[in-house]
Amino acid sequence: MIVNEIFHSIQGESTRAGLPCVFVRLTGCNLRCVYCDTAYAFHEGTEMSLDDVERAVAKHDCPFVTVTGGEPLAQPEVHTLVRRLADLGYDVQIETGGSLDISVVDPRARVILDIKTPGSGMMERCDRGNLDRLRPGDEVKFVLMGRPDYEWAVGLLKARPLPEGVPVLMSPAHGTLDPRDLAEWMKRDALRARLHLQIHKYIWGPDARGV
């Protein structure tokens, strides 16, 4: 498989934000979101065997692993990697942009499903069937560019209620939507969702890599 980077850091996203985590970032993505912060993963990468990836993860002595991208589901080998990591006892989550079928992901892995809003420019590329494939413990994330994206996301949640046990994360696009505005909208609507900040960007800055 083609790997962009493997590094040990603090998880900045999902309900497990703040936990030490090993990141396996795979190369390649079939989407081009306007707010993308990992465009370097579109093409940069090194071919690694699954054994090499396992060894690189193991050297950090951390039980929590996030497989991300790019779009990790674009590489078929990712499913074998996730299965092997789960077999070894790792707590695995996989971050996906939502355009590819998540039903093939090993059920022991937690899926963080990014639902693309109109402001992303990629809304039409989403596989809406993934909303029906979510399992308890998976998570749904909306990255919001502004009020229209927020209202769109709220409308979608009303029209397509999620399964029990699937948290909803509302994330302001960093540097575009003021988190205070999003907080006020969520308070006003008594929205059953979590305000979600990318804490790694507040710790190391929005352009830092591999930290």
Side-chain angles (χ1 to χ4, degrees):
M1 63 195 326
I2 309 300
V3 179
N4 177 266
E5 57 184 348
I6 299 175
F7 60 98
H8 186 217
S9 187
I10 298 297
Q11 174 57 254
E13 304 188 49
S14 81
T15 62
R16 286 161 178 76
L19 291 175
C21 181
V22 177
F23 291 84
V24 178
R25 187 182 305 283
L26 302 186
T27 299
C29 187
N30 59 330
L31 303 180
R32 294 293 185 269
C33 300
V34 299
Y35 48 69
C36 181
D37 56 4
T38 52
Y40 58 87
F42 291 165
H43 307 292
E44 297 177 16
T46 302
E47 187 170 354
M48 297 179 67
S49 70
L50 293 175
D51 288 342
D52 288 340
V53 175
E54 282 185 17
R55 282 191 287 268
V57 170
K59 74 177 184 179
H60 296 293
D61 192 26
C62 178
F64 180 28
V65 179
T66 294
V67 182
T68 187
E71 172 50 69
L73 296 185
Q75 294 196 46
E77 298 86 355
V78 72
H79 301 296
T80 304
L81 173 63
V82 169
R83 183 172 62 251
R84 287 173 60 161
L85 291 173
D87 287 345
L88 290 169
Y90 288 102
D91 176 9
V92 184
Q93 69 180 28
I94 184 164
E95 298 177 337
T96 174
S99 64
L100 301 174
D101 186 353
I102 64 171
S103 67
V104 291
V105 175
D106 190 299
R108 294 172 293 178
R110 186 180 314 105
V111 172
I112 312 300
L113 179 65
D114 190 342
I115 304 297
K116 300 303 180 184
T117 62
S120 73
M122 292 287 113
M123 180 184 70
E124 299 302 327
R125 299 288 299 276
C126 273
D127 180 354
R128 293 287 180 85
N130 278 330
L131 293 172
D132 300 319
R133 300 169 189 137
L134 291 162
R135 299 178 290 252
D138 293 340
E139 303 180 12
V140 164
K141 178 178 71 173
F142 294 92
V143 178
L144 309 173
M145 296 286 287
R147 182 63 176 271
D149 275 357
Y150 171 78
E151 293 180 349
W152 180 89
V154 171
L156 178 64
L157 291 171
K158 289 179 179 177
R160 298 280 297 271
L162 300 179
E164 287 292 326
V166 175
V168 176
L169 312 172
M170 293 287 184
S171 181
H174 191 83
T176 300
L177 174 59
D178 191 328
R180 291 172 293 186
D181 290 336
L182 178 55
E184 291 300 327
W185 302 338
M186 294 175 67
K187 286 165 53 182
R188 182 202 64 195
D189 295 337
L191 191 65
R192 295 185 179 275
R194 180 188 298 248
L195 177 62
H196 173 261
L197 300 178
Q198 296 172 296
I199 64 171
H200 54 289
K201 293 185 177 181
Y202 293 89
I203 299 172
W204 292 288
D207 300 319
R209 292 175 53 173
V211 294

